[in-house]
Amino acid sequence: MNKQLLGGLTAEQFLTDYWQKQPLLIRNAWQDFPELIDLPRLIALAQQDDVESRLIERRDERWLVENGPFRASRFDRLPETDWTVLVQSVNHHVPHIADLLYEFNFLPYTRLDDLMISYAPPGGTVGPHYDSYDVFLLQVGGKKRWQISSDDAGNFIEDAPIRVLRDFSSEQEWILDHGDMLYLPPKYAHYGVALEPGMTYSIGFRAPTEQEIVGKFLEYLQDELRLTGVYGDPERQPTARPGEIDLAFVGKIESMLTQLTWTDADVRKFVGRYFTEPKPHVFYTAPDDALDFDEFAAQAQAQGVYLDLKSLMLYEGEQLFINGEELEAEADAVETLRRLADSRRLPAVQYDDAVLEALYTCYDYGYLHVGKI
Ligand code: SIN
Ligand code: CO
């Protein structure tokens, strides 16, 4: 694969000087793609109900947005220009796109989100906007003009069905050709307009808000907390104002709330579960005619195993997590399973039963498969 993803910079240089700081244009980041997604394949994905997709048209200064899944015939009645179809998480469905996403694994999987692909004929655009996360925009075929601006004043057009900046004034502009890539930090305004029919592969990162993380942690605590007490007041005196909430009552509730505590172990477990949790429309398919453990062990050792494209596996110390759950494994299996999390596959060699048992659990849920992708 002929590529210079970061235009000759080391990952360390890129992270120090650009990541979350300033844009970077990389000419010829990737030249010889091993495989390209063609438009019919992208349109076929936009028809699946387990795929998030959108169609954005600009007509007479108005924005028309439709969400997928689409009927095939929808794409027969599109104009020659001025529309964009966007398909989210193509890496969940197309192995070579997943490989491309994981080329960015100098950043951890807790941050790497998905690879979205958009196709646009000339004039196709989603308008000037900014995103709350970092993104690499890789041009694949065609040409797109990108204008960018550091101004994040966030003056979005009201009532538009998509977030489009009202006052966007370009500070820098480039025409991206096949294989060129533009890195943008969060909240950097950008405006891409297709000049020749082509695709943009957006390598997106995950940046949950504090509100979301803390809210999810409270949900975690709610599930984990086991409090046994019940409100009681044997010292109660008669009241002349039964409508009043007395402060002694409030005080008792407040002291109950002091039991809302957590440990480092809770935080670690929460992080592992939360950051491997599948998105709402993601489902795993258990194998139809599942192998029994011995058959699985024989095949896994003969052919190797790989994680399902939709699976996400992480670890922290001895703890392993996959798709929102803890994966139990004996201590001597952990190192091999960490390798599976890092490289998303394990080679065809002999494994201990402890490893095979954990792999079998994943296989049984459809989180992992035998062989090569
Ligand atoms: C596009 O693919 O044209 C839009 C991608 C983005 O702006 O994030
Ligand atoms: Co964007």
Side-chain angles (χ1 to χ4, degrees):
M1 227 178 273
N2 190 1
K3 60 182 180 301
Q4 265 209 317
L5 261 194
L6 299 173
L9 296 177
T10 64
E12 200 177 2
Q13 286 166 331
F14 169 76
L15 293 178
T16 308
D17 294 336
Y18 296 95
W19 176 250
Q20 301 238 299
K21 299 171 194 77
Q22 55 169 328
L24 176 66
L25 174 73
I26 304 146
R27 291 279 179 208
N28 278 313
W30 203 309
Q31 290 115 30
D32 305 322
F33 289 79
E35 229 180 299
L36 292 174
I37 284 248
D38 55 14
L39 186 56
R41 181 93 189 262
L42 196 67
I43 285 177
L45 284 171
Q47 291 167 51
Q48 285 181 215
D49 55 13
D50 58 344
V51 175
E52 264 184 275
S53 57
R54 280 171 300 157
L55 186 58
I56 300 182
E57 263 187 271
R58 194 176 50 168
R59 220 186 282 161
D60 313 323
E61 301 304 307
R62 280 192 315 131
W63 296 97
L64 306 177
V65 180
E66 288 166 68
N67 291 307
F70 296 95
R71 288 170 188 276
S73 57
R74 178 67 190 94
F75 297 95
D76 300 336
R77 12 180 213 97
L78 280 167
E80 298 273 300
T81 60
D82 298 339
W83 54 271
T84 307
V85 59
L86 303 105
V87 181
Q88 211 71 45
S89 300
V90 180
N91 54 293
H92 283 177
H93 305 277
V94 183
H96 77 264
I97 295 295
D99 288 345
L100 206 157
L101 175 68
Y102 293 117
E103 287 288 327
F104 291 80
N105 67 3
F106 55 92
L107 287 151
Y109 301 151
T110 45
R111 295 283 276 123
L112 202 52
D113 191 1
D114 75 334
L115 197 151
M116 173 181 83
I117 299 185
S118 72
Y119 169 86
T125 177
V126 303
H129 67 280
Y130 59 71
D131 302 301
S132 53
Y133 46 81
D134 309 78
V135 66
F136 289 92
L137 300 162
L138 174 64
Q139 184 69 27
V140 180
K143 279 189 204 310
K144 199 176 253 186
R145 186 194 68 209
W146 283 100
Q147 297 179 314
I148 65 167
S149 165
S150 56
D151 179 9
D152 66 353
N155 198 356
F156 291 103
I157 297 176
E158 281 156 36
D159 304 331
I162 46 169
R163 280 172 16 117
V164 177
L165 287 166
R166 187 192 305 280
D167 309 307
F168 171 81
S169 60
S170 165
E171 291 171 356
Q172 272 178 294
E173 135 168 7
W174 302 279
I175 290 168
L176 266 67
D177 254 302
H178 178 67
D180 294 345
M181 186 166 74
L182 177 60
Y183 163 75
L184 294 172
K187 291 194 117 189
Y188 221 94
H190 48 286
Y191 182 26
V193 182
L195 303 180
E196 288 174 16
M199 297 198 188
T200 299
Y201 288 13
S202 296
I203 293 97
F205 290 82
R206 219 182 147 171
T209 60
E210 290 178 347
Q211 180 70 31
E212 185 179 327
I213 296 213
V214 175
K216 289 284 183 183
F217 184 62
L218 286 174
E219 278 175 27
Y220 164 90
L221 282 183
Q222 185 170 14
D223 291 345
E224 294 291 301
L225 274 182
R226 295 282 174 270
L227 305 181
T228 51
V230 180
Y231 177 85
D233 49 4
E235 72 293 355
R236 175 66 61 205
Q237 298 291 314
T239 179
R241 312 198 61 172
E244 182 184 36
I245 299 171
D246 64 83
L247 288 183
F249 182 82
V250 175
K252 273 180 198 270
I253 304 290
E254 197 173 351
S255 61
M256 278 186 186
L257 293 179
T258 59
Q259 297 179 80
L260 187 68
T261 57
W262 59 88
T263 60
D264 280 0
D266 280 311
V267 179
R268 293 202 297 265
K269 205 194 273 186
F270 161 71
V271 169
R273 284 188 198 171
Y274 174 60
F275 281 88
T276 57
E277 206 163 90
K279 291 181 185 166
H281 60 279
V282 170
F283 298 97
Y284 304 92
T285 317
D288 266 347
D289 211 353
L291 304 169
D292 67 26
F293 177 76
D294 291 337
E295 292 164 336
F296 170 81
Q299 291 195 18
Q301 297 179 105
Q303 300 172 40
V305 295
Y306 63 93
L307 288 182
D308 186 83
L309 292 179
K310 291 180 242 175
S311 283
L312 182 53
M313 186 172 180
L314 297 171
Y315 56 87
E316 191 282 316
E318 302 287 302
Q319 287 210 69
L320 303 154
F321 303 90
I322 185 162
N323 301 339
E325 300 166 56
E326 278 114 290
L327 175 63
E328 301 301 334
E330 286 175 32
D332 42 346
V334 168
E335 186 40 33
T336 306
L337 296 167
R338 285 181 189 147
R339 274 195 282 122
L340 172 64
D342 283 331
S343 54
R344 300 186 56 84
R345 63 198 68 179
L346 285 175
V349 294
Q350 288 297 113
Y351 293 106
D352 291 343
D353 268 2
V355 170
L356 291 166
E357 275 157 22
L359 297 179
Y360 188 65
T361 305
C362 296
Y363 161 79
D364 216 25
Y365 282 121
Y367 295 172
L368 168 144
H369 311 284
V370 170
K372 301 215 164 25
I373 304 184

